[in-house]
Amino acid sequence: MRGIFKKFQDTVFGAPPASKDDAKQRLKVLLIHDQVALTPAQLDAMREEIMDVISRYVEVDDNGVEFRLSREDGAISLVSNVPVRRVTARASA
Amino acid sequence: MSQCIVVTSGKGGVGKTTTSANLGAGLALAGNRVAVVDADIGLRNLDVILGLENRIVYDLVQVVEGECRLKQALIRDKRVEGLFLLPAAQTRDKNAVSPDDMRRLVGELKEEFDYVIIDCPAGIEQGFKNSIAGADRALIVTTPEVSAIRDADRIIGMVEAHDLPEPELIINRYRAGMVERGDMMNKEDILEILAIPLIGMVPDHEDVIISANRGQPAVFDENSVVGQAYRRITDRVVGHEVPFPSFETPTGMWATMKRWMGLAPMREVV
Ligand SMILES: Nc1ncnc2c1ncn2[C@@H]1O[C@H](COP(=O)(O)OP(=O)(O)O)[C@@H](O)[C@H]1O
Ligand SMILES: [Mg+2]
């Protein structure tokens, strides 16, 4: 009876988020790190070096930078979005 | 053309031995000559699941070391025409056999049998390398859990590195009720992550334990839902197109009420 009442409550007041979404989200991150043999520190270093190179050419909005690994159909890709403040090349380039 | 199929997973306890026994028996029921090989040296189990443990005289290691002939070590299953077991050694360890030994052994078995099924031990080391050495095809068994899927992914990578065709997936211990409540990853979730073709789904069911108690693979029982799942897997393994039917919808009071109220589909297609 308690089970049924709880499910009734969940239906009326909104159920807690399903645990399978946690499982799936955690797995996605886990599998990327299993496949990419880089430590978080190495990933940070890579990100910094890449940003250094980009900043030599354009002015980057540091706050909006997105830089992450993603996995689609078993293949890893590096997804990055770098908002640019000014497109004109810098004098130092 | 004979074929050697390895049943593997990475993680232990997900259903490799259950699958090897049922697939082997299923293929024999369908009229094939089948050898099931227990490659879990030191921890043999397949003999017990098949109910053949009292008939073991020689084992795989003795064959490899030339102590007996292959034919002497093969145990014929009297319940079905064409089914044979090559048991693992119980008192030796995995290093008693090399991948080359296995390749030779499988080659010899393929001269006699239509299908050679290798029950792979857990792990990614010697036992796995031995099991995969002579294989033409790999079936990956997983359960809908984070740790099992993670290990399956590792193994899929290793299978692909061994020049085998793309492995096929069996999702074992599926619970339709938990999937319906969102507490278990469904077929699509798992396939999205592992990205290999699905060849079967087996419900989490007490029949597996009952058939293990009896040493009688569920596939022999036409009325068992587990047996039926393995019959469909067998059909797909030999190349038939078999649609994935829905497992029984949960029959609890709440599930029934939800269906009346239109909150859940009448049948969940798996
Ligand atoms: N579909 C299932 N439903 C219920 N129990 C299962 C199912 N598949 C496997 N089991 C149980 O899980 C345990 C491990 O199964 P087994 O086939 O020996 O796995 P593995 O060979 O991968 O270690 C056994 O006790 C078995 O009874
Ligand atoms: Mg086993």
Side-chain angles (χ1 to χ4, degrees):
Chain A
M1 252 343 256
R2 262 193 75 218
I4 291 171
F5 182 68
K6 177 162 187 315
K7 278 171 179 165
F8 176 74
Q9 265 189 324
D10 287 349
T11 322
V12 175
F13 303 109
S19 66
K20 78 134 181 181
D21 295 333
D22 293 337
K24 206 171 161 186
Q25 210 38 55
R26 289 173 62 218
L27 255 171
K28 282 185 173 170
V29 175
L30 199 55
L31 294 193
I32 288 171
H33 288 282
D34 282 350
Q35 207 167 331
V36 178
L38 289 176
T39 63
Q42 286 173 310
L43 276 171
D44 277 347
M46 173 167 77
R47 173 198 155 107
E48 261 169 42
E49 282 182 48
I50 291 175
M51 292 311 297
D52 278 350
V53 172
I54 295 175
S55 319
R56 264 191 257 143
Y57 294 89
V58 291
E59 197 177 315
V60 171
D61 176 3
D62 280 330
N63 294 324
V65 174
E66 184 195 359
F67 192 86
R68 65 187 166 83
L69 293 164
S70 146
R71 205 177 108 123
E72 208 67 42
D73 283 344
I76 303 270
S77 54
L78 182 60
V79 178
S80 176
N81 187 19
V82 183
V84 171
R85 276 219 194 92
R86 259 190 314 179
V87 194
T88 44
R90 288 175 161 185
S92 62
Chain B
M1 263 301 278
S2 316
Q3 194 177 57
C4 176
I5 303 173
V6 60
V7 178
T8 183
S9 69
K11 187 167 155 49
V14 298
K16 293 177 293 297
T17 300
T18 306
T19 297
S20 301
N22 280 283
L23 175 61
L27 286 167
L29 284 172
N32 299 286
R33 281 180 61 78
V34 185
V36 287
V37 177
D38 191 343
D40 204 344
I41 294 162
L43 280 175
R44 77 172 168 223
N45 263 327
L46 188 53
D47 53 332
V48 177
I49 297 298
L50 284 167
L52 299 174
E53 69 273 20
N54 292 327
R55 300 192 29 224
I56 297 178
V57 182
Y58 296 110
D59 60 53
L60 187 153
V61 174
Q62 288 173 305
V63 174
V64 164
E65 294 184 343
E67 271 179 55
C68 67
R69 283 177 298 111
L70 177 55
K71 286 228 169 75
Q72 292 176 293
L74 285 166
I75 301 164
R76 189 174 71 83
D77 191 316
K78 292 170 181 158
R79 292 164 297 196
V80 53
E81 185 71 33
L83 181 60
F84 290 78
L85 166 70
L86 180 59
Q90 181 68 338
T91 52
R92 303 292 298 271
D93 73 83
K94 297 179 199 320
N95 303 316
V97 177
S98 73
D100 278 338
D101 293 331
M102 285 299 284
R103 222 169 278 128
R104 232 173 289 126
L105 181 72
V106 168
E108 209 178 320
L109 286 166
K110 277 167 73 177
E111 287 170 20
E112 288 290 321
F113 294 95
D114 302 314
Y115 289 95
V116 179
I117 309 295
I118 312 268
D119 180 17
C120 181
I124 54 174
E125 284 144 10
Q126 184 76 8
F128 169 75
K129 287 176 183 141
N130 286 341
S131 299
I132 204 160
D136 304 304
R137 179 178 182 183
L139 303 187
I140 312 285
V141 183
T142 191
T143 61
E145 288 169 88
V146 174
S147 54
I149 293 173
R150 178 199 199 175
D151 290 359
D153 185 72
R154 247 334 251 301
I155 287 291
I156 291 167
M158 297 183 80
V159 166
E160 284 167 351
H162 267 82
D163 266 353
L164 288 173
E166 188 170 43
E168 294 148 295
L169 186 68
I170 293 177
I171 301 174
N172 187 25
R173 309 202 72 159
Y174 194 81
R175 294 175 64 167
M178 289 191 74
V179 167
E180 191 174 353
R181 326 194 272 274
D183 278 328
M184 181 176 274
M185 283 179 275
N186 64 28
K187 179 178 79 175
E188 284 72 27
D189 295 326
I190 297 169
L191 293 180
E192 183 191 323
I193 287 169
L194 291 179
I196 59 171
L198 182 71
I199 197 158
M201 298 184 71
V202 182
D204 186 70
H205 199 279
E206 61 185 39
D207 278 1
V208 173
I209 293 162
I210 295 170
S211 61
N213 287 343
R214 298 204 169 115
Q216 183 91 10
V219 77
F220 285 136
D221 179 359
E222 284 174 38
N223 298 317
S224 159
V225 289
V226 171
Q228 287 160 2
Y230 278 113
R231 279 168 190 248
R232 288 191 292 273
I233 290 173
T234 304
D235 282 350
R236 295 189 192 106
V237 163
V238 301
H240 297 309
E241 284 272 337
V242 184
F244 287 85
S246 55
F247 285 135
E248 280 131 26
T249 39
T251 48
M253 195 205 288
W254 178 247
T256 313
M257 266 170 60
K258 270 212 307 204
R259 274 197 295 281
W260 284 344
M261 300 190 296
L263 290 175
M266 288 305 283
R267 310 208 72 183
E268 187 206 353
V269 180
V270 291

